[in-house]
């Protein structure tokens, strides 16, 4: 596992003065070259060459192959109990997804997004972090929150928007958030968490904390405008931020081949001078090892680190999507059969006698009962009253907010029979 970086050092001559390298000043026959660090390399050449890449594509760091066999003992270091925790959390997330996806199809919740095929990216990274590390998620990282102890009942409450939803029913389903678990509330607009995470990591560096901020995002979010300033700010201001890209091959219906021509998201990290690594996102051991090392590097160097986890989205983008319109069922089946992260870890643990079919069946049954019980409970709960819709926005509600609330209340009263009293 190699974290590549184009590193530079700099100092300023007075406030906002012209930048000069802290290393020995580079001079050439045509004058000094001050805005790129050429230390130890030629700064000038008489050969003109246009490059479209840095060389061959960066390989994937892997610990566990598709047969569940270790290809490297160096980066494992996980005992039986830790592996069982990994497996348990991945299986639980898969079961939750299966039930809540069907609940949406039954009209019991309005919207849902599954994590099929990407369980390793969540659980592997979550286990490598410390509880005090701040999480800025996109929308396919419920497994991180689940690993930190967030109750299934709270997940269901949020998806339905009942009185037990700490977000007061103001967010779309699966937009979780928890102060207790250091998990920032998810925002619907794509990519907004990226610059926010850079800012949080900056604060951690300035305050000298043994803490990092991890920001999850997909390959599609890396095409958003927020991505580039976030990485540039993080690199130049030396923010303790881990940028974790789940490259699952699709930005909704847009395949990776139509998103970028370069060497994925990894190359962008290197381009911004950020230590970067590409890992097999379906290998939970590799994800764990890379995230653990990334955290160490971020704190040691007080700088950002980027991880690109190559995985595959096994389900539809969301319940509003039909992925069969842009990819074949055979493609999905082939990927999940060969690279399913749960199956891969199962093979490894089964060979060691650490996990059995009975263990798998037991955790699935326990989780199923808990999700179904939570669904039945939350469907009987009241919604948050509309009167409280504008609370917590400002210390004192503005006249405009009060006007809008009153308009909603009049509409609700006029069409009372159309509004459900219960979930």
């Amino acid at each position: 596992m190699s974290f590549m970086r184009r590193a530079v050092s700099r100092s300023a001559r007075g406030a906002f003065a012209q930048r000069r390298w802290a290393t020995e000043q580079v001079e050439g026959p045509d004058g000094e070259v001050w805005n790129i660090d050429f230390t130890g390399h030629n700064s000038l050449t008489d050969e003109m060459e246009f490059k479209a890449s840095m060389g061959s594509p960066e390989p994937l760091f892997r610990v566990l192959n598709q047969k569940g066999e270790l290809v490297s003992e160096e980066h494992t270091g996980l005992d039986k109990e830790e592996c069982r925790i990994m497996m348990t959390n991945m299986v639980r997330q898969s079961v939750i997804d299966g039930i809540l996806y069907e609940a949406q199809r039954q009209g019991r919740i309005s919207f849902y997004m599954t994590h099929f095929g990407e369980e390793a990216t969540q659980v592997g990274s979550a286990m490598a972090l410390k509880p005090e590390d701040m999480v800025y998620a996109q929308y396919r990282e419920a497994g991180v929150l689940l690993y930190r102890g967030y109750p299934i009942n709270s997940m269901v409450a949020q998806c339905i928007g009942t009185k037990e939803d700490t977000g007061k029913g103001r967010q779309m389903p699966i937009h979780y958030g928890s102060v207790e678990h250091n998990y920032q509330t998810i925002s619907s607009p794509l990519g907004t968490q990226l610059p926010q995470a850079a800012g949080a990591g900056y604060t951690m560096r300035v305050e000298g904390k043994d803490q990092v901020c991890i920001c999850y995002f997909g390959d599609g979010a890396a095409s958003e405008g927020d991505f580039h300033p976030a990485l540039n700010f993080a690199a130049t201001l030396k923010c303790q931020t881990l940028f974790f890209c789940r490259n699952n091959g699709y930005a909704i219906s847009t395949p990776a081949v139509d998103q970028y021509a370069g060497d994925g998201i990894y190359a962008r990290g290197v381009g911004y001078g950020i230590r970067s690594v590409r890992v097999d996102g379906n290998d939970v051991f590799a994800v764990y090892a890379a995230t653990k090392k990334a955290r160490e590097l971020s704190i040691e160097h007080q700088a950002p680190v980027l991880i690109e986890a190559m995985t595959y989205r096994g389900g539809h983008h969301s319940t509003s999507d039909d992925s069969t319109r842009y990819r074949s069922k055979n493609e999905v089946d082939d990927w999940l059969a060969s690279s399913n992260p749960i199956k891969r870890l199962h093979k490894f643990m089964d060979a060691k006698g650490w996990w059995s079919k009975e263990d798998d069946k037991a955790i699935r049954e326990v989780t199923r009962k808990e999700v179904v019980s939570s669904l039945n409970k939350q469907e009987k709960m009241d919604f948050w009253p509309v009167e409280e819709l504008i609370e917590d926005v400002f210390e004192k509600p503005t006249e405009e907010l009060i006007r809008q609330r009153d308009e909603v209340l009049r509409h609700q009263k006029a069409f009372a029979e159309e509004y459900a009293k219960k979930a």
Side-chain angles (χ1 to χ4, degrees):
M1 177 172 56
S2 173
F3 285 82
M4 296 294 293
R5 177 177 184 251
R6 300 283 173 86
V8 296
S9 59
R10 61 181 174 84
S11 62
R13 182 181 296 168
F16 303 105
Q18 183 186 61
R19 294 180 182 178
R20 291 182 178 274
W21 297 107
T23 54
E24 182 180 353
Q25 185 64 40
V26 179
E27 295 185 0
D30 299 316
E32 65 180 29
V33 180
W34 62 270
N35 56 341
I36 295 290
D37 184 8
F38 284 105
T39 306
H41 303 277
N42 293 328
S43 61
L44 298 169
T45 180
D46 58 2
E47 296 180 4
M48 182 169 60
E49 181 182 5
F50 291 85
K51 294 183 178 180
S53 72
M54 298 181 294
S56 58
E58 182 68 12
L60 281 67
F61 167 66
R62 172 181 285 185
V63 177
L64 201 63
N65 66 24
Q66 292 179 334
K67 296 179 181 179
E69 302 167 340
L70 288 176
V71 297
S72 171
E73 298 280 355
E74 178 183 358
H75 301 287
T76 311
L78 294 167
D79 59 27
K80 175 182 178 180
E81 184 56 32
E82 289 170 319
C83 287
R84 287 184 64 86
I85 291 172
M86 278 183 165
M87 177 62 81
T88 297
N89 278 272
M90 288 199 292
V91 170
R92 289 183 75 207
Q93 183 59 61
S94 179
V95 173
I96 293 170
D97 281 345
I99 296 174
L100 293 186
Y101 178 85
E102 292 302 325
Q104 191 280 333
R105 290 304 192 229
Q106 296 167 3
R108 301 169 77 178
I109 59 178
S110 61
F111 178 84
Y112 194 72
M113 302 181 80
T114 65
H115 308 70
F116 298 133
E118 301 184 48
E119 295 88 354
T121 62
Q122 302 165 60
V123 176
S125 60
M127 286 189 66
L129 299 170
K130 291 187 177 180
E132 61 268 24
D133 293 333
M134 187 61 69
V135 176
Y136 281 79
Q138 184 163 303
Y139 43 58
R140 219 181 295 276
E141 291 85 22
V144 178
L145 191 54
L146 190 68
Y147 172 79
R148 290 191 167 193
Y150 194 69
I152 289 177
N153 184 69
S154 296
M155 286 186 165
V156 177
Q158 195 284 324
C159 286
I160 296 178
T162 70
K163 288 280 287 191
E164 290 192 350
D165 171 23
T166 56
K168 297 187 175 182
R170 299 173 182 176
Q171 285 273 27
M172 286 181 64
I174 62 92
H175 285 46
Y176 310 114
S178 174
V179 174
E180 178 186 353
H181 300 93
N182 289 318
Y183 193 99
Q184 294 285 334
T185 301
I186 293 168
S187 176
S188 292
L190 199 60
T192 56
Q193 76 276 18
L194 288 155
Q196 295 167 0
Y202 175 74
T203 301
M204 293 168 186
R205 193 267 294 172
V206 170
E207 295 180 352
K209 291 185 176 181
D210 180 22
Q211 184 181 7
V212 299
C213 169
I214 187 167
C215 180
Y216 294 92
F217 60 99
D219 46 296
S223 296
E224 291 290 325
D226 286 331
F227 172 82
H228 298 281
L231 264 66
N232 197 38
F233 272 119
T236 56
L237 298 177
K238 300 180 74 65
C239 306
Q240 289 175 199
T241 305
L242 307 186
F243 292 101
F244 192 104
C245 176
R246 296 176 293 93
N247 191 335
N248 62 23
Y250 288 93
I252 306 183
S253 60
T254 305
V257 68
D258 292 331
Q259 287 190 73
Y260 49 76
D263 188 16
I265 313 306
Y266 160 85
R268 300 184 194 179
V270 175
Y272 279 109
I274 295 176
R275 290 177 177 84
S276 304
V277 68
R278 174 176 286 157
V279 305
D280 182 346
N282 295 330
D283 174 0
V284 69
F285 288 169
V287 174
Y288 170 81
T291 308
K292 183 179 180 181
K293 184 62 177 179
R295 188 185 188 281
E296 294 171 0
L297 288 171
S298 182
I299 292 175
E300 176 186 354
H301 297 280
Q302 295 186 315
V305 180
L306 183 142
I307 298 171
E308 182 180 24
M310 311 302 286
T311 181
Y312 187 79
R313 195 190 76 210
H316 304 295
H317 172 73
S318 72
T319 49
S320 300
D321 174 48
D322 177 9
S323 64
T324 62
R325 295 178 65 86
Y326 52 85
R327 63 179 182 178
S328 69
K329 184 177 184 301
N330 287 339
E331 175 188 314
V332 178
D333 292 342
D334 288 346
W335 268 95
L336 293 182
S338 63
S339 298
N340 185 298
I342 297 177
K343 290 182 179 179
R344 189 184 300 192
L345 181 58
H346 193 168
K347 291 175 183 177
F348 170 80
M349 294 181 67
D350 183 61
K352 282 185 167 289
W354 292 357
W355 192 264
S356 65
K357 291 182 179 179
E358 289 71 26
D359 292 325
D360 193 82
K361 182 179 179 181
I363 191 63
R364 288 181 182 276
E365 183 59 24
V366 169
T367 305
R368 188 193 69 80
K369 288 181 178 179
E370 188 174 356
V371 178
V372 172
S373 175
S374 296
L375 263 175
N376 292 335
K377 174 188 175 183
Q378 293 303 322
E379 286 180 319
K380 299 174 184 176
M381 298 286 294
D382 287 329
F383 290 125
W384 280 93
V386 176
E387 288 82 357
E388 298 185 23
L389 182 63
I390 63 173
E391 291 187 3
D392 313 317
V393 179
F394 297 102
E395 183 178 4
K396 182 180 179 181
T398 64
E399 291 184 4
E400 178 62 15
L401 281 177
I402 293 173
R403 184 193 66 77
Q404 292 175 358
R405 179 200 61 190
D406 292 344
E407 183 178 345
V408 171
L409 288 172
R410 287 194 298 272
H411 184 275
Q412 185 183 40
K413 183 177 180 180
F415 300 94
E417 69 281 359
E418 301 294 334
Y419 286 89
K421 298 296 183 182
K422 303 286 184 180

